[in-house]
Amino acid sequence: MPNEISSSINHPVLSSFDYRSPDPIEIKSGLWDLKPFKAAGVDGFQLGFFQRYWDTVGTSIVYHIQEVFSNLSINEEWNCTMICLIPKTQCPSSIKNFRPISLCTTIYKIVSKILVKRLKPIIASAVSFNQGASIPDALQLFGFPSNSLKLIHSCISSVKHQILMNGELTGNVCPGRGIRQADPLSPYLFIMAMELLSKCIEFEVARGKWKSPSVKGTRISHLLYADDVLLFVKIDKNSVLTVKKALGLFLDISGLSVNESKSSIWFSPNTISNEKDFILRTLPFRCSPKPRTYLGFPLCSGTKKRDFSEIVKRIRDKVESWKAPLLSKPWRVTLIKSVSAATANYYMQALPFPMSICKEIDKIHRNFLWGSSNDRKKIHLFALMRAAEFSHLTVNDNNNDVFKAPVLVSWISPPAGWWKINIDGSCTSLSNNIAAGGIVRDYCGNWVLGFSKFLGGGTILCAKFWAILIGLELANSAEGSKIIVESDSLAVITLINDLNTPTSHHFFLSSRVADALAKYGISSRCGLTEFQTVPPFLSDLFWRDYFGFSYQDGAGASDMLEL
């Protein structure tokens, strides 16, 4: 490699990369930065287990992770990875139709997260603005300390894979190169490796060997986002040979390779045939009649309906792959909002959709929601505007279709030293039997107590008043002095306001835990039942609240009463 490129890559800020052993606070912070319910690796434990029982297992985890940094190597057993193959197509027929997702062990994830948190503040100053996003040899050129390189090399070279197939694990597979998807460290390592390509191109551009076109007075030679690369070059013999030289140098150093099946060349309309033939003989890429896509966006898109046919087809194929008869309407709404509408929103960031395309996508969503098809039409129970509001889909505003993003809310802990009571009532539609339920939690979200009680006949308003009364009595008997009561009933709060009781009104989603306890009272038909610990049927809901999981707003407002 030319010395000019080596010196431009070797960034002084990277030489200060910290490879020292982390303290317990940094290790705990790294663990808490990871999502608790991600799929477990071969160790079988999700991160939420270690977060919940940190007081028990924390000392052992700190010891082993500090040992990794002290020895500058990671135990091979902790670096054993389970690979889950996710189909990329509806009918996968070969291995390239699957996306391999690596499920790493907890210890490795924490080590990787600590390295990422140390690398993240300094990487921005070391990569080119062209970037949006055998690795150790490339990293050495950036000036990383030798000890940090040794630790990183251990993380990516001692890997053992076991592939999950039909619910069973295969034998160990030891990869010779490459990095893993779902590894927190992988994106940063790849960005650093691609920076080498950027420097190779910038070096040739500065020498005048790589002649790039100008767009509105700005010369653009390349754009990079992870492994998506766009190269811009004028049609002349020297520039084409320079492209081949720069790519060859980068591939030799990084150990990466070009996916020729996904690579193509697009020529401007005024390019003559002889120049095209020379370029296609020099570079191992095929010719494309029109620009393809970059980051999923078509590079050449008009304003006519046919220009958006591929986007509509992608949304329609996605929706039609779902088994609508097996899904309830709330599940259909969830799929539309989180997948299909999100796909349309992604393209709308840069492409102005014609009105006809917006209506066609909205029709696809409505048909899926109500179970209609080309062969069988069903009645839509709501008018178009009403259905849009119900499902958070398309809302017509001055003849412009806009996709609404759902509002996410979660359980909010009370101030320090306070307890919060979430209450709810349940009522059967046929017999008008009612029940009350509620949960008391402290300011850390810990379970204090829960209750449910079958009340006999009555109204839902009566059930919620009983829930408040029972909750306050139990909290007082447990020596709670500062108490907040949260309810989803505005009518209850209004009546309490009439009694001149100090109140405050907040828009929160009602506690799913209190709702489940009230329904338990209906099904059990028992008197007052107290739960001193989390019952099994509430475990999932409680821990979702505890770890701050959000729900989509839409179940109405919740009202808070401070006592």
Side-chain angles (χ1 to χ4, degrees):
M1 168 175 283
N3 293 331
E4 293 89 343
I5 299 180
S6 300
S7 59
S8 65
I9 292 177
N10 193 315
H11 205 285
V13 72
L14 296 178
S15 62
S16 62
F17 180 76
D18 186 7
Y19 57 86
R20 294 173 298 175
S21 181
D23 57 29
I25 296 177
E26 186 179 9
I27 294 173
K28 184 178 180 180
S29 174
L31 173 60
W32 255 256
D33 284 343
L34 296 166
K35 294 183 179 180
F37 297 122
K38 285 284 189 177
V42 293
D43 55 357
F45 289 97
Q46 292 178 310
L47 293 161
F49 171 82
F50 296 93
Q51 294 172 353
R52 179 66 180 89
Y53 296 102
W54 176 256
D55 294 339
T56 303
V57 302
T59 303
S60 178
I61 291 177
V62 169
Y63 170 78
H64 288 297
I65 291 179
Q66 289 179 339
E67 189 178 37
V68 169
F69 280 83
S70 299
N71 298 333
L72 300 177
S73 64
I74 188 168
N75 191 306
E76 291 186 0
E77 294 182 358
W78 298 337
N79 214 359
C80 188
T81 304
M82 183 165 58
I83 294 181
C84 182
L85 299 177
I86 307 298
K88 294 192 284 187
T89 60
Q90 292 187 19
C91 300
S93 57
S94 63
I95 193 66
K96 68 179 181 181
N97 299 135
F98 292 89
R99 178 176 289 107
I101 301 299
S102 300
L103 307 180
C104 304
T105 63
T106 299
I107 294 292
Y108 178 81
K109 285 183 179 179
I110 299 174
V111 171
S112 181
K113 191 65 177 180
I114 292 172
L115 291 174
V116 165
K117 292 182 70 175
R118 293 179 176 182
L119 182 61
K120 189 175 182 179
I122 63 177
I123 194 174
S125 60
V127 299
S128 303
F129 70 92
N130 305 77
Q131 284 219 64
S134 69
I135 301 295
D137 292 337
L139 291 180
Q140 191 171 7
L141 297 172
F142 285 88
F144 277 92
S146 58
N147 285 339
S148 63
L149 285 176
K150 186 176 180 181
L151 178 56
I152 294 174
H153 182 267
S154 174
C155 289
I156 63 178
S157 64
S158 61
V159 180
K160 289 183 179 179
H161 293 312
Q162 289 181 287
I163 302 175
L164 184 64
M165 299 184 66
N166 299 325
E168 297 182 358
L169 292 175
T170 64
N172 288 330
V173 178
C174 298
R177 64 174 65 185
I179 52 181
R180 297 167 286 188
Q181 280 192 304
D183 178 356
L185 190 59
S186 294
Y188 292 87
L189 295 180
F190 200 88
I191 287 174
M192 300 300 289
M194 294 303 291
E195 178 66 10
L196 174 60
L197 174 60
S198 184
K199 294 300 182 183
C200 290
I201 296 174
E202 291 174 1
F203 174 70
E204 298 296 347
V205 170
R207 294 173 60 201
K209 299 291 185 179
W210 181 310
K211 296 181 181 179
S212 56
S214 177
V215 179
K216 294 184 179 180
T218 302
R219 293 199 170 275
I220 302 177
S221 59
H222 63 291
L223 293 174
L224 307 177
Y225 188 91
D227 59 347
D228 286 335
V229 181
L230 275 179
L231 302 179
F232 304 88
V233 64
K234 288 187 175 181
I235 301 298
D236 67 81
K237 183 176 180 180
N238 289 334
S239 293
V240 173
L241 292 176
T242 302
V243 170
K244 183 178 181 180
K245 176 184 175 183
L247 287 176
L249 179 61
F250 166 70
L251 298 179
D252 290 341
I253 296 175
S254 66
L256 300 174
S257 60
V258 176
N259 188 340
E260 296 180 6
S261 64
K262 294 185 177 180
S263 304
S264 62
I265 304 175
W266 178 76
F267 297 95
S268 63
N270 58 351
T271 306
I272 61 178
S273 299
N274 291 339
E275 292 176 336
K276 288 183 180 180
D277 293 339
F278 169 74
I279 294 173
L280 293 174
R281 290 195 307 269
T282 305
L283 300 176
F285 310 129
R286 66 180 186 277
C287 178
S288 176
K290 63 178 182 179
R292 301 180 69 179
T293 60
Y294 181 66
L295 303 180
F297 283 99
L299 294 176
C300 183
S301 179
T303 58
K304 297 182 178 180
K305 185 175 181 179
R306 65 172 179 269
D307 297 321
F308 297 84
S309 59
E310 286 297 322
I311 297 176
V312 175
K313 182 179 182 298
R314 179 174 297 184
I315 294 174
R316 180 181 288 108
D317 290 345
K318 178 66 70 176
V319 171
E320 290 179 353
S321 68
W322 298 328
K323 306 298 182 183
L326 304 179
L327 297 171
S328 64
K329 286 184 174 57
W331 278 112
R332 297 181 201 180
V333 171
T334 300
L335 282 173
I336 292 172
K337 289 193 290 185
S338 61
V339 181
S340 182
T343 302
N345 285 339
Y346 177 72
Y347 291 110
M348 284 182 173
Q349 295 177 81
L351 301 176
F353 278 31
M355 180 62 64
S356 59
I357 295 297
C358 293
K359 291 181 178 179
E360 187 172 354
I361 294 174
D362 194 46
K363 182 180 179 181
I364 294 172
H365 290 162
R366 294 198 313 270
N367 287 342
F368 173 72
L369 177 63
W370 302 111
S372 297
S373 64
N374 293 331
D375 301 328
R376 185 181 180 184
K377 300 294 183 180
K378 287 192 174 182
I379 297 176
H380 296 186
L381 300 181
F382 296 153
L384 173 60
M385 242 347 245
R386 182 93 180 276
E389 294 172 358
F390 167 73
S391 59
H392 292 270
L393 301 181
T394 308
V395 177
N396 189 281
D397 181 18
N398 296 328
N399 294 324
N400 292 319
D401 286 340
V402 181
F403 285 78
K404 292 177 62 180
V407 178
L408 298 179
V409 292
S410 60
W411 184 82
I412 305 298
S413 60
W418 286 67
W419 286 1
K420 177 182 282 189
I421 307 175
N422 286 99
I423 64 95
D424 206 350
S426 182
C427 180
T428 59
S429 57
L430 297 178
S431 59
N432 288 329
N433 287 328
I434 60 173
I439 174 179
V440 183
R441 287 176 276 205
D442 64 15
Y443 68 95
C444 294
N446 296 315
W447 180 284
V448 177
L449 60 91
F451 66 89
S452 68
K453 183 177 182 179
F454 180 72
L455 300 170
T459 64
I460 188 65
L461 191 64
C462 181
K464 295 189 177 187
F465 270 115
W466 271 106
I468 292 177
L469 178 61
I470 296 170
L472 290 173
E473 289 179 347
L474 293 176
N476 287 329
S477 64
E479 299 182 354
S481 57
K482 298 180 179 179
I483 301 169
I484 295 176
V485 178
E486 193 173 76
S487 169
D488 66 344
S489 174
L490 184 60
V492 171
I493 297 300
T494 302
L495 290 173
I496 293 179
N497 280 335
D498 292 341
L499 298 176
N500 296 321
T501 303
T503 62
S504 62
H505 178 258
H506 298 266
F507 289 97
F508 287 140
L509 191 67
S510 178
S511 170
R512 305 293 177 93
V513 178
D515 178 66
L517 286 167
K519 290 178 178 178
Y520 175 83
I522 289 287
S523 61
S524 66
R525 291 180 172 266
C526 294
L528 181 61
T529 304
E530 296 184 37
F531 301 93
Q532 301 301 325
T533 58
V534 183
F537 70 90
L538 286 179
S539 178
D540 182 65
L541 291 174
F542 174 75
W543 290 118
R544 284 178 175 271
D545 281 351
Y546 183 87
F547 287 114
F549 273 59
S550 299
Y551 300 97
Q552 289 185 358
D553 190 21
S558 158
D559 311 284
M560 183 178 291
L561 166 68
E562 296 183 2
L563 301 175

